[in-house]
Amino acid sequence: MAAVRRWSEGMSSDNIKGLVLAISSSLFIGASFIVKKKGLKKAGASGVRAGVGGYSYLLEPLWWIGMITMVVGEIANFAAYAFAPAILVTPLGALSIIISAVLAHIILREKLHTFGILGCALCVVGSTTIVLHAPQERQIESVTEVWDLATEPGFLFYTALVLTAVFILIFHFVPQYGQTHIMVYIGVCSLVGSISVMSVKALGIALKLTFSGMNQLLYPQTWAFTLVVASCVITQMNYLNKALDTFNTAVVSPIYYVMFTSLTILASVIMFKDWDRQTPTQIITEMCGFITILSGTFLLHKTKDMVDDYVQSGPSLTTSISMRSLKHEEEDGFDEGVPLKRQDTSRIP
């Protein structure tokens, strides 16, 4: 308790606001994954699936409920970035994985194994470690300061690499491998997401300063960041829908979190130079916390959909996967889609 009290006393009010907003955001976003998934499944049963280019989900009310829930979460997330550094806000997305895993177990009947629960616990421990050692928010007085940071050679080089990778994925890999390799859709979402978070933070800072009496809407840089945010969010939403419709939610959520968080932290370190204000011990501790989160998400990924009979009777892994795939198809009347080619080839004709 003494350590927690010292931490809270040393944490700025802005960081605390960002922390509360980030936790609230994760709760809403975690629930939205499941609601949107139900809407996509319902829409796919009567129309063209999103995974093959369909947009029938736009007529499904359940999908819109999930979308509204996600928007609320994203608004809270947006506000969090205005108050706290990305290296604090982004890793707390691990909480959304826990919410998503629990609700997927209850609503979508995706099995949550005991080791999956351990994975959730590791996510919580890692997130707590990062929160306790996160840097203080950088004091910025104008959106032009953020623009100067965004146009430094280091971040311009990172942006060029991201855009090149995204174009290659969209125009070369998506048509050939989008339906069979989960990393294609999620790669696009994560790469674009790292740029969108930096722009969201810039826009959030501009709005925060505007509400405090320093109007930033007069600067063209504010509107430039707004345009980038809009473009990135539309792209992320499109390819995240494709990933959710094609692959298992239990796989999409943790992999997307890991890639998105890793790239966002990298982008923040390059642009806002978060680590310049920290000691080597703090940086190492943060990385240990992040590795703990990665361990939890991959453990959740590997074990969340396991059946208890596998532990007790020891059937082959491919047989268990095939039986689960068939069971989902028979009960839901909808092909869930699987991320690994090995699973497809082992499915009973």
Side-chain angles (χ1 to χ4, degrees):
M1 290 299 293
V4 174
R5 185 166 55 253
R6 286 195 301 270
W7 162 76
S8 61
E9 291 174 353
M11 196 175 191
S12 69
S13 60
D14 277 354
N15 272 28
I16 293 175
K17 292 175 184 176
L19 174 62
V20 172
L21 287 167
I23 293 175
S24 302
S25 169
S26 294
L27 292 173
F28 281 106
I29 292 175
S32 74
F33 269 103
I34 306 305
V35 180
K36 287 177 65 179
K37 179 71 173 183
K38 291 290 287 185
L40 287 169
K41 292 176 69 175
K42 189 175 180 180
S46 57
V48 181
R49 293 172 50 193
V52 292
Y55 295 93
S56 59
Y57 61 86
L58 294 175
L59 302 176
E60 174 54 50
L62 193 60
W63 183 86
W64 281 107
I65 293 174
M67 192 64 200
I68 292 172
T69 304
M70 175 170 280
V71 168
V72 173
E74 292 296 349
I75 291 174
N77 196 47
F78 177 91
Y81 281 112
F83 290 99
I87 202 168
L88 167 63
V89 175
T90 306
L92 291 178
L95 181 58
S96 69
I97 297 178
I98 299 173
I99 299 299
S100 178
V102 173
L103 292 181
H105 172 65
I106 297 172
I107 299 175
L108 301 180
R109 300 191 298 277
E110 295 176 1
K111 187 67 176 179
L112 180 60
H113 193 269
T114 303
F115 288 110
I117 298 175
L118 177 59
C120 292
L122 287 174
C123 289
V124 172
V125 171
S127 297
T128 303
T129 302
I130 290 178
V131 168
L132 292 175
H133 297 86
Q136 299 297 324
E137 172 68 338
R138 185 187 189 120
Q139 295 301 314
I140 294 178
E141 301 298 331
S142 172
V143 70
T144 57
E145 293 183 36
V146 185
W147 183 263
D148 291 339
L149 293 172
T151 53
E152 288 187 357
F155 190 72
L156 287 177
F157 179 70
Y158 173 80
T159 302
L161 287 180
V162 167
L163 292 178
T164 301
V166 167
F167 276 107
I168 292 175
L169 284 173
I170 291 177
F171 293 106
H172 178 70
F173 288 97
V174 165
Q176 298 185 46
Y177 306 107
Q179 294 294 306
T180 55
H181 292 72
I182 191 172
M183 299 302 291
V184 176
Y185 288 148
I186 294 182
V188 174
C189 292
S190 302
L191 287 166
V192 173
S194 68
I195 300 298
S196 71
V197 167
M198 298 302 101
S199 299
V200 162
K201 184 170 181 62
L203 185 57
I205 290 172
L207 292 177
K208 181 179 72 171
L209 292 173
T210 298
F211 291 143
S212 67
M214 295 180 287
N215 190 359
Q216 303 296 303
L217 301 181
L218 301 176
Y219 296 99
Q221 290 90 338
T222 300
W223 301 105
F225 283 126
T226 302
L227 181 61
V228 173
V229 169
S231 302
C232 291
V233 168
I234 291 173
T235 303
Q236 284 180 269
M237 184 179 70
N238 183 37
Y239 285 96
L240 182 58
N241 280 332
K242 292 179 183 293
L244 285 171
D245 190 50
T246 307
F247 303 103
N248 194 303
T249 309
V251 180
V252 172
S253 297
I255 295 180
Y256 177 53
Y257 167 78
V258 169
M259 289 191 64
F260 172 73
T261 303
S262 300
L263 290 170
T264 298
I265 290 176
L266 176 61
S268 182
V269 168
I270 295 173
M271 179 173 169
F272 288 97
K273 302 175 177 60
D274 293 325
W275 286 349
D276 288 356
R277 306 186 299 278
Q278 292 191 285
T279 65
T281 302
Q282 289 175 312
I283 295 173
I284 293 173
T285 303
E286 286 172 1
M287 289 300 96
C288 289
F290 185 54
I291 292 172
T292 302
I293 296 175
L294 297 189
S295 302
T297 54
F298 278 109
L299 183 60
L300 183 61
H301 166 206
K302 291 295 183 182
T303 63
K304 179 177 177 294
D305 205 31
M306 289 173 60
V307 292
D308 292 334
D309 290 339
Y310 171 73
V311 178
Q312 297 173 358
S313 58
S316 67
L317 179 59
T318 53
T319 301
S320 298
I321 293 174
S322 299
M323 292 177 65
R324 288 199 307 277
S325 298
L326 285 174
K327 181 179 179 182
H328 281 302
E329 291 174 17
E330 292 171 357
E331 291 180 352
D332 300 332
F334 182 87
D335 185 0
E336 182 80 24
V338 287
L340 301 178
K341 294 177 70 176
R342 183 161 64 92
Q343 293 175 323
D344 283 327
T345 56
S346 64
R347 185 174 295 176
I348 301 174

